[in-house]
């Protein structure tokens, strides 16, 4: 019997008992839908927490604390910066120096704080996020933190209420003497604020930074002997962070990246996924009882057909394959319907749940948060599980079909 003949035979037989087959397919579809939906919660949480909450610049950042092994750790030097740029997939290396700063704006507004001096070309490569304005393109330009304006006040305490972009500022940079006896090194620069950094992700964080370009310094003496306060390496993409970190550790750099934390989170989510998929598989196994009953009844009803097939010389493997093909078809049809329903339910969950959460907790769900996410891998796995369980359910009835006696089958005496 050719493959197309087997398929036609199965279709004809399934058509004779449409209601029973439909109910069996429905049970399989419900099991598959439950499997996908319960597992999609874990995939949704991982997508929201790992991929969305830790997106962009931060997830590709590798912080460098020093270099050395054991007790021989030391601060990063200029030579080290060149080494940091060598590994593949390095997009940018940012180095910031910290100086004591004092700012004065037109109208008598002033403030004291820390001035960061950085290579703005590398900051631009790393994707330094801004809420407004642009990155510096000239030595006399700077960017400030999101909360920089809140610290500007007049002598009588009046707060600054104007805009910062394109505002002129007189910045005094001071480097205290190491011994406290020598005069402090000081430079005054007339600069223009051209950009404001993005608001910090955490509400409790206050960003009042002032970042000027290295080229703004009139004298290299100001940074002579000063160690970098912040050194970061940025990978070309999030999935390259591990490779870059491994290469830097091989050069004895002391590094840390968000990817190190994500590895631990991925293990937690993997365990959660496996557990939920296992629970969902139980629902598919329950549906397999219906497939077993349907196939058992099919063997009984088609005993004469089986007898004729065996009488004309059909091999037992051929008879077995016909019934396994039918059980496989029930499993696949159920899985396809169940998957379609799961995608619809997943969309509805992501639309309906946020308003419910807001009404119940009086709090907005984080933007882009996904409660249910169905990747193609989950879809493929669910279909494979449903099809596999269906085949297993049909093994016993198929084996019974091959053992039917020809004469008794033809006499309908079972």
């Amino acid at each position: 019997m050719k493959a197309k003949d087997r398929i036609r035979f199965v279709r004809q037989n399934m058509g004779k008992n449409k209601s029973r087959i439909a109910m069996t397919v429905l049970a399989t579809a419900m099991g598959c839908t439950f499997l996908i939906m319960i597992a999609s919660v874990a995939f949704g949480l991982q997508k929201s927490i790992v991929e969305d909450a830790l997106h962009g610049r931060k997830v590709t950042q590798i912080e460098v604390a020093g270099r050395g092994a054991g007790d021989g750790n030391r601060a990063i030097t200029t030579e080290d910066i060149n080494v940091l740029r060598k590994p593949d997939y390095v997009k940018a290396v940012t180095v910031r120096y910290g100086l004591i700063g004092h700012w004065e704006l037109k109208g008598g507004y002033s403030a004291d704080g820390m001035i960061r001096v950085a290579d703005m070309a590398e900051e631009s490569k790393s994707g330094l996020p801004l809420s407004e304005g642009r990155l510096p393109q000239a030595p006399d330009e700077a960017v400030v933190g999101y909360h920089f304006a809140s610290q500007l006040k007049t002598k009588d305490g009046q707060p600054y209420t104007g805009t910062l972009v394109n505002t002129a500022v007189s910045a005094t940079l001071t480097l205290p003497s190491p011994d406290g006896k020598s005069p402090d090194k000081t430079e005054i620069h007339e600069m223009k604020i051209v950009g404001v950094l993005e608001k910090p992700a955490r509400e409790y964080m206050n960003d009042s930074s002032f970042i000027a370009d290295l080229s703004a310094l009139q004298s290299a003496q100001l940074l002579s002997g000063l160690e970098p306060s912040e050194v970061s390496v940025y990978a070309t993409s999030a999935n390259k962070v591990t490779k870059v970190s491994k290469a830097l550790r091989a050069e004895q750099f002391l590094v840390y990246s968000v990817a190190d934390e994500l590895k631990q989170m991925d293990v937690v989510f993997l365990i959660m996924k496996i557990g939920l998929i296992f629970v969902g598989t139980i629902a598919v196994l329950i549906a397999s009882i219906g497939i077993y009953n349907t196939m058992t009844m099919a063997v009984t009803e088609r005993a004469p057909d089986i007898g004729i097939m065996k009488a004309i010389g059909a091999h037992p493997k051929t008879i077995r394959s016909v019934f396994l093909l039918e059980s496989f078809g029930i499993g696949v049809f159920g899985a396809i319907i169940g998957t379609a329903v799961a995608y619809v339910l997943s969309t509805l969950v992501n639309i309906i749940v946020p308003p419910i959460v807001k009404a119940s907790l009086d709090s907005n769900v984080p933007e882009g948060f996904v409660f249910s996410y169905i990747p193609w891998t989950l879809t493929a796995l669910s279909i494979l599980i449903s099809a596999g369980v269906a085949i297993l359910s049909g093994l016993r009835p198929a084996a019974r079909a091959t053992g039917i006696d020809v004469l008794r089958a033809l006499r309908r005496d079972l």
Side-chain angles (χ1 to χ4, degrees):
M1 183 181 289
K2 296 181 180 179
K4 63 179 182 179
D5 295 326
R6 299 178 192 180
I7 295 174
R8 185 171 62 251
F9 181 75
V10 169
R11 289 178 59 187
Q12 291 175 350
N13 290 322
M14 292 178 69
K16 294 178 182 178
N17 298 283
K18 293 182 180 179
S19 60
R20 187 172 65 205
I21 295 296
M23 295 304 295
T24 306
V25 170
L26 178 60
T28 306
M30 292 175 64
C32 185
T33 300
F34 181 78
L35 167 60
I36 295 176
M37 286 303 299
I38 195 171
S40 71
V41 175
F43 282 93
L45 288 175
Q46 184 179 31
K47 178 177 175 62
S48 299
I49 296 174
V50 176
E51 297 180 12
D52 292 341
L54 299 174
H55 68 284
R57 172 182 163 106
K58 192 68 178 178
V59 79
T60 61
Q61 181 183 18
I62 304 170
E63 299 175 11
V64 183
R67 190 178 188 183
D71 297 331
N73 298 339
R74 58 173 174 77
I76 300 298
T77 63
T78 304
E79 292 74 17
D80 294 331
I81 302 301
N82 296 326
V83 178
L84 291 173
R85 293 191 173 98
K86 290 183 179 179
D88 296 331
Y89 310 114
V90 171
K91 179 172 64 174
V93 178
T94 61
V95 183
R96 294 182 181 181
Y97 299 89
L99 299 169
I100 296 175
H102 175 77
W103 306 280
E104 292 186 3
L105 277 70
K106 185 178 180 180
Y109 297 96
S110 63
D112 297 305
M114 184 68 68
I115 287 182
R116 306 290 184 195
V117 183
D119 184 346
M120 296 309 301
E122 291 295 312
E123 295 285 347
S124 177
K125 289 181 184 178
S126 71
L128 186 65
L130 299 176
S131 61
E132 59 178 313
R134 59 174 175 81
L135 290 174
Q137 299 175 352
D140 62 344
E141 296 178 343
V143 294
V144 296
Y146 187 84
H147 302 98
F148 180 79
S150 62
Q151 65 177 345
L152 296 171
K153 292 181 174 61
T154 59
K155 290 183 179 180
D156 57 359
Q158 293 296 321
Y160 183 81
T161 57
T163 59
L164 289 174
V165 177
N166 296 324
T167 299
V169 58
S170 177
T172 303
L173 286 67
T174 302
L175 176 63
S177 61
D179 54 12
K181 298 179 180 180
S182 304
D184 297 339
K185 298 178 182 179
T186 302
E187 291 183 1
I188 300 176
H189 297 268
E190 300 299 325
M191 308 188 74
K192 182 172 69 172
I193 299 173
V194 295
V196 179
L197 298 179
E198 191 176 68
K199 184 178 181 180
R202 295 173 177 82
E203 295 182 358
Y204 60 82
M205 294 180 66
N206 186 295
D207 184 6
S208 301
S209 58
F210 186 98
I211 306 177
D213 190 30
L214 277 170
S215 59
L217 298 181
Q218 296 176 355
S219 170
Q221 298 277 332
L222 193 61
L223 296 181
S224 177
L226 183 64
E227 297 178 351
S229 57
E230 301 175 28
V231 179
S232 296
V233 176
Y234 290 88
T236 53
S237 61
N239 58 359
K240 301 298 183 184
V241 172
T242 301
K243 291 185 178 180
V244 176
S245 296
K246 185 177 181 180
L248 296 179
R249 288 191 176 99
E251 295 291 340
Q252 296 188 335
F253 285 104
L254 306 177
V255 301
Y256 166 80
S257 68
V258 175
D260 296 329
E261 298 293 336
L262 295 185
K263 287 181 181 178
Q264 300 178 12
M265 294 178 64
D266 286 339
V267 172
V268 174
F269 280 115
L270 178 61
I271 295 173
M272 184 185 301
K273 291 175 188 176
I274 293 174
L276 293 177
I277 289 174
F278 177 77
V279 173
T281 303
I282 295 177
V284 179
L285 290 173
I286 294 174
S288 70
I289 298 175
I291 299 176
Y292 177 84
N293 290 333
T294 297
M295 297 310 301
T296 300
M297 295 179 66
V299 171
T300 303
E301 293 172 351
R302 299 169 198 168
D305 296 335
I306 297 171
I308 293 172
M309 293 171 64
K310 296 185 75 173
I312 61 176
H315 195 278
K317 289 184 178 179
T318 302
I319 298 173
R320 184 185 300 112
S321 66
V322 169
F323 286 92
L324 289 179
L325 181 61
E326 183 171 341
S327 63
F328 173 77
I330 293 173
V332 171
F333 289 150
I336 292 174
I337 296 172
T339 300
V341 173
Y343 272 97
V344 174
L345 291 176
S346 178
T347 302
L348 291 176
V349 165
N350 291 325
I351 294 174
I352 296 173
V353 173
I356 295 176
V357 172
K358 182 178 180 180
S360 302
L361 303 179
D362 194 24
S363 176
N364 289 324
V365 176
E367 184 178 354
F369 194 91
V370 178
F371 290 91
S372 175
Y373 172 66
I374 307 175
W376 71 267
T377 51
L378 177 58
T379 300
L381 179 61
S382 300
I383 293 176
L384 286 175
I385 291 175
S386 298
V389 169
I391 292 176
L392 291 175
S393 301
L395 284 176
R396 177 59 182 169
R400 185 184 171 203
T402 60
I404 290 178
D405 182 78
V406 177
L407 294 178
R408 295 181 65 191
L410 294 176
R411 292 200 310 266
R412 301 176 180 266
D413 185 19
L414 288 178

